[in-house]
Amino acid sequence: MTDLYPAADDRELLRQAAAAHTAAVRDVEAFLRRLPDVPGPADVTEYANLLTREEQTRADREAAVDAAGLTIASLESDQG
């Protein structure tokens, strides 16, 4: 049987992971733009959920970067 939808290559998975992370970051930004002067418990909960999603999508993006062979040792300078 022929597969109608070929598996996405690593670059496509990387693009999808980057797009998901971008969307998660934009959702955090949108939340912060509408945040009331005095945040309530629901606001704190929503923010925590948004941050959790952002962190997960970043981890997914980093895994896709590794799979695509774009791993870099460190972004930090060795100068101190």
Side-chain angles (χ1 to χ4, degrees), residues 31 35-36 38-51:
F31 168 81
L35 186 65
V38 180
D43 298 312
V44 173
T45 299
E46 182 178 0
Y47 183 61
N49 289 334
L50 288 168
L51 281 185

Side-chain angles (χ1 to χ4, degrees), residues 23-69:
V25 171
R26 284 186 178 144
D27 288 347
V28 171
E29 178 189 5
F31 168 81
L32 294 174
R33 288 185 184 279
R34 69 176 187 276
L35 186 65
D37 290 338
V38 180
D43 298 312
V44 173
T45 299
E46 182 178 0
Y47 183 61
N49 289 334
L50 288 168
L51 281 185
T52 298
R53 180 173 155 243
E54 188 271 333
E55 289 171 359
Q56 182 59 56
T57 59
R58 181 177 179 182
D60 293 346
R61 187 198 67 203
E62 289 174 354
V65 164
D66 289 344

Side-chain angles (χ1 to χ4, degrees), residues 5-18:
Y5 300 101
D9 67 10
D10 290 339
R11 292 170 302 154
E12 180 58 27
L13 294 175
L14 177 55
R15 288 188 286 269
Q16 291 172 2

